[in-house]
């Protein structure tokens, strides 16, 4: 299997939300199925989760304002649907851990490998990472996220998220406590950044899901 499944290393990466969300959803429910087996819970629960997922999508369709929000709504509500069905059987902590692992783990190695391959191949890893961030802001996040950029130069790219659609969707569905589950997925690409190897560092001190006023995504050069 290629180490660059998301084709990031060629330097002109553009997110494909439809493709990426389909992979996420498939991996998510496959992981949930495996969790049900380990917990000796009925496999039919996945069908119930998928039915609930479809109901939630229909009920929240008014939140879609662009293509990015369509796919971000879909994955967020998959987490809500699975958590709802797992909660009475596993309890809050175990149910939350199960949906977090199901979101983070299936594509974790592929996201890490693609990000590392891109950074290793780039003449300027800092600039390559900034370009990916900007592409994701436009194509993968879209109008339902609000970004402010205190710095955008050759040494720093500081972008603060003041509105998070994931959090908005979860709050609207009485599941705001699940926002950190969505934040956790970023760890897959964050861990691919090696400041000594790539000449820049990434800092995210908090997120809206963790109680912060914003989600700071800060990239800073550590070498000339």
């Amino acid at each position: 299997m290629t180490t660059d499944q998301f084709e990031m290393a060629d330097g002109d990466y553009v997110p494909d939300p439809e493709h990426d969300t389909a992979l996420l959803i498939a991996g998510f429910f496959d992981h949930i199925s495996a969790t049900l087996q380990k917990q000796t819970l009925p496999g039919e629960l996945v069908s119930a989760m998928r039915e609930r997922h479809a109901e939630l999508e229909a009920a929240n369709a008014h939140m879609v304002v662009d293509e990015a929000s369509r796919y971000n709504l879909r994955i967020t509500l998959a987490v809500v649907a699975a958590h709802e069905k797992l909660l009475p059987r596993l309890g809050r902590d175990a149910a939350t851990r199960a949906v977090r692992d199901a979101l983070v783990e299936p594509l974790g190695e592929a996201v890490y490998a693609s990000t590392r391959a891109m950074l290793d191949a780039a003449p300027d890893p800092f600039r390559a990472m900034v370009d990916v961030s900007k592409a994701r802001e436009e194509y993968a996040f879209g109008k339902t996220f609000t970004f402010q950029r205190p710095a955008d130069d050759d040494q720093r790219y500081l972008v603060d998220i003041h509105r998070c659609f994931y959090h908005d969707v979860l709050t609207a569905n009485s599941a705001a406590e699940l926002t950190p589950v969505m934040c956790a997925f970023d760890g897959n690409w964050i861990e691919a950044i090696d400041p000594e190897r790539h000449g820049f560092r990434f800092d995210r001190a908090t997120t809206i899901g963790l109680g912060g006023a914003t989600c700071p995504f800060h990239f800073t050069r550590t070498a000339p």
Side-chain angles (χ1 to χ4, degrees):
M1 179 180 294
T2 178
T3 58
D4 187 18
Q5 183 175 340
F6 294 94
E7 299 181 352
M8 297 173 68
D10 61 5
D12 57 357
Y13 168 72
V14 175
D16 183 344
E18 181 175 11
H19 171 264
D20 295 349
T21 300
L23 287 178
L24 271 174
I25 294 286
F28 179 82
F29 282 116
D30 285 348
H31 198 287
I32 291 292
S33 295
T35 299
L36 295 178
Q37 290 181 345
K38 291 178 183 177
Q39 298 289 340
T40 64
L41 293 173
E44 293 79 7
L45 274 175
V46 172
S47 296
M49 291 173 188
R50 289 186 177 276
E51 290 177 6
R52 179 58 175 153
H53 185 207
E55 293 172 359
L56 288 169
E57 278 201 85
N60 289 271
H62 63 282
M63 300 188 76
V64 173
V65 301
D66 57 11
E67 282 301 294
S69 60
R70 183 184 313 281
Y71 299 114
N72 288 325
L73 181 75
R74 185 168 299 162
I75 188 58
T76 308
L77 293 178
V79 171
V80 174
H83 192 262
E84 283 184 4
K85 299 300 180 183
L86 291 173
L87 187 60
R89 294 165 174 85
L90 297 181
R92 185 168 303 278
D93 289 347
T96 301
R97 186 166 55 251
V99 296
R100 178 192 182 281
D101 291 348
L103 182 67
V104 171
E105 293 181 1
L107 295 183
E109 290 186 7
V111 171
Y112 174 93
S114 286
T115 306
R116 176 57 69 92
M118 176 200 70
L119 294 173
D120 286 350
D124 183 347
F126 168 80
R127 180 53 52 194
M129 196 74 231
V130 169
D131 289 345
V132 167
S133 181
K134 289 181 177 181
R136 288 187 54 76
E137 289 159 28
E138 180 177 358
Y139 297 105
F141 295 113
K143 298 176 182 178
T144 54
F145 288 76
T146 300
F147 302 97
Q148 292 186 14
R149 300 171 181 84
D152 180 6
D153 54 40
D154 193 52
Q155 298 299 312
R156 297 181 302 159
Y157 182 59
L158 310 183
V159 56
D160 297 330
I161 299 174
H162 286 255
R163 177 193 174 193
C164 170
F165 184 62
Y166 301 132
H167 185 65
D168 290 350
V169 172
L170 291 167
T171 299
N173 288 273
S174 302
E177 72 276 9
L178 295 179
T179 308
V181 170
M182 308 304 295
C183 304
F185 186 83
D186 290 326
N188 291 325
W189 61 262
I190 292 171
E191 292 174 6
I193 301 169
D194 181 342
E196 291 188 4
R197 183 186 187 112
H198 301 126
F200 74 96
R201 72 175 188 270
F202 173 79
D203 300 296
R204 186 178 69 175
T206 188
T207 67
I208 292 170
L210 295 174
T214 66
C215 303
F217 282 63
H218 291 180
F219 304 88
T220 305
R221 285 195 193 272
T222 57

